[in-house]
Amino acid sequence: MAQAPLLSRRYLLQLAGLGGAVFASGALAGCRRGGVAGRLLSVRGALPSAWAKALPSAWRSQLLDTPQALLQALDQPSLEPTLISLGDGWVGQLQRDRLLPVNTPDLLALLDPIAQAPSRLFAPASAAALAFPWAFGTWVILLRNRPDLLRRRREGWSLLLDPSLKQRLVLPASPRILIDLALRQLDLSSTSPNALDDPRLPQQLRRLHAQALSLDERHGLSFLQAGDADAAVVTSQRAIPLLQRDPRLAAVLPASGAPLWWQLLLRVSPAGGGAQPQAAAPLPLEWIRDGLSLPLLDRLLAGGWVPPLPAEQLQPALARWPERLRPLLLPPAPVLARCSSLPLLSAAEQQRQQQLWDQAMAG
């Protein structure tokens, strides 16, 4: 009897890997009560279409053009409980008191331990899980027709400061990502409590910013594809589909690691606070499980969406990919250990980063 939990967990892992039906009992029943179970809001292009089409029929899916539009939609009166899929960089703009626990301990147990902190939105380990991390990856350097820079990949993020990339580089619009990259160029860790006080950082950030032709990860890739830029810093999710169809492109994931990005499912109470937490829509567990296992897992990977499953579970699917792309989908363990998530910032931390940014830009 003492071994039952271990055997049960092993059985669930095997079923998840084979695409078997697990967690179905009771999950879809909740979706079928009363016609519409709830609505799922996502940003156009930020939820794999094959997975979205598999959403239970009792759910209503709504696509918004931008994360800002999604956040505005949450403020509109609605009687329907809501699930949202949102990138971690936008979660800080949600009203914390409207987030409800996801209550999916069995599904969360299937994920790699790296996903545990994002599931709590980086709160202490004792906090309830408020998100289900369904995809993750790194930021990478995407190069166009630059074999010379590709041969120097060991220089890592310092490649971005190469003189030949002056005004030929597309960087993210997020100051926080740029601060992280500048810290990595100085061999500093963004998780160090005193990293932002390094006197070299403002100048390093200014040098990096001065290289940019554009600060726009959403539309900036058009500069790269048109030949107006030679390099861009983008998420691995955006790089993977392009690398599959454009032989002019190559990607560099520095061995020193990179910032991580996350896509999260969150339960949000309706605007106005009229719904009790127990009335909120449960997660459609069977649908989530399908995204973690074959055959849908292959469709997610093709779009650059990598569920944060243990490496041994992902390997059979990754083995079918070209060898050059596998490390971009799932970095080798030593590289992944040097990657770091970007936790939600307190008001004081936001102010400190804003002061650093203003100081760098004013120099």
Side-chain angles (χ1 to χ4, degrees):
M1 294 295 292
Q3 293 183 349
L6 178 59
L7 293 175
S8 175
R9 175 172 169 75
R10 182 181 301 163
Y11 178 63
L12 293 176
L13 286 171
Q14 290 172 342
L15 284 182
L18 295 173
V22 64
F23 305 120
S25 177
L28 294 184
C31 294
R32 294 186 181 116
R33 286 197 300 269
V36 177
R39 59 176 181 165
L40 171 65
L41 303 184
S42 60
V43 178
R44 196 176 305 278
L47 191 72
S49 58
W51 195 32
K53 290 176 182 177
L55 190 69
S57 59
W59 283 80
R60 182 168 65 91
S61 178
Q62 183 178 354
L63 293 175
L64 287 305
D65 287 331
T66 64
Q68 297 94 324
L70 187 152
L71 295 172
Q72 292 172 2
L74 291 177
D75 291 331
Q76 298 172 2
S78 172
L79 299 177
E80 294 178 3
T82 300
L83 295 177
I84 64 172
S85 180
L86 195 63
D88 59 322
W90 293 94
V91 171
Q93 299 192 31
L94 292 169
Q95 294 178 319
R96 186 85 177 208
D97 58 0
R98 290 185 60 189
L99 296 180
L100 305 173
V102 292
N103 295 328
T104 58
D106 292 325
L107 276 177
L108 286 169
L110 295 178
L111 303 181
D112 189 89
I114 197 175
Q116 296 306 309
S119 76
R120 302 187 304 269
L121 301 184
F122 305 98
S126 58
L130 295 177
F132 185 86
W134 64 266
F136 86 121
T138 64
W139 289 81
V140 300
I141 304 171
L142 196 59
L143 301 172
R144 181 185 186 273
N145 288 337
R146 291 301 304 265
D148 57 324
L149 294 182
L150 189 61
R151 287 191 293 268
R152 293 163 48 198
R153 64 174 66 215
R154 291 182 180 274
E155 297 177 29
W157 294 109
S158 294
L159 280 177
L160 301 179
L161 299 177
D162 190 86
S164 68
L165 290 181
K166 180 79 170 180
Q167 299 298 297
R168 302 284 298 177
L169 172 66
V170 178
L171 290 173
S174 166
R176 192 173 185 196
I177 295 292
L178 298 187
I179 290 172
D180 187 282
L181 298 183
L183 286 167
R184 291 178 183 276
Q185 290 170 342
L186 295 171
D187 293 324
L188 297 173
S189 171
S190 59
T191 59
S192 172
N194 299 317
L196 297 187
D197 296 324
D198 191 291
R200 300 171 296 168
L201 185 54
Q203 181 181 1
Q204 190 73 14
L205 185 56
R206 187 159 52 248
R207 289 179 63 201
L208 178 60
H209 182 270
Q211 290 285 91
L213 167 69
S214 169
L215 300 180
D216 184 356
E217 70 270 19
R218 184 172 174 84
H219 300 107
L221 279 176
S222 60
F223 289 110
L224 191 70
Q225 293 174 295
D228 296 319
D230 293 336
V233 175
V234 299
T235 62
S236 55
Q237 186 277 322
R238 298 197 71 196
I240 291 293
L242 290 174
L243 289 166
Q244 293 179 79
R245 61 177 182 262
D246 192 337
R248 300 170 301 175
L249 302 179
V252 173
L253 171 58
S256 59
L260 292 175
W261 58 266
W262 293 89
Q263 277 287 330
L264 309 168
L265 283 173
L266 307 104
R267 301 168 71 216
V268 183
S269 59
Q276 297 298 317
Q278 60 267 26
L283 290 175
L285 301 182
E286 174 75 359
W287 175 71
I288 295 174
R289 190 276 309 157
D290 285 344
L292 301 179
S293 54
L294 298 173
L296 264 177
L297 177 58
D298 276 339
R299 304 290 295 276
L300 266 66
L301 293 177
W305 305 105
V306 182
L309 292 166
E312 60 270 19
Q313 284 187 258
L314 286 171
Q315 288 305 332
L318 293 177
R320 296 190 288 273
W321 279 73
E323 190 170 350
R324 67 186 180 92
L325 296 180
R326 293 176 203 168
L328 300 176
L329 286 162
L330 182 64
V335 176
L336 190 56
R338 301 183 192 107
C339 297
S340 56
S341 300
L342 300 178
L344 303 185
L345 297 176
S346 65
E349 290 169 333
Q350 290 181 31
Q351 183 178 16
R352 177 67 186 92
Q353 292 216 356
Q354 185 63 54
Q355 290 173 343
L356 171 62
W357 180 261
D358 292 343
Q359 179 186 357
M361 295 305 102

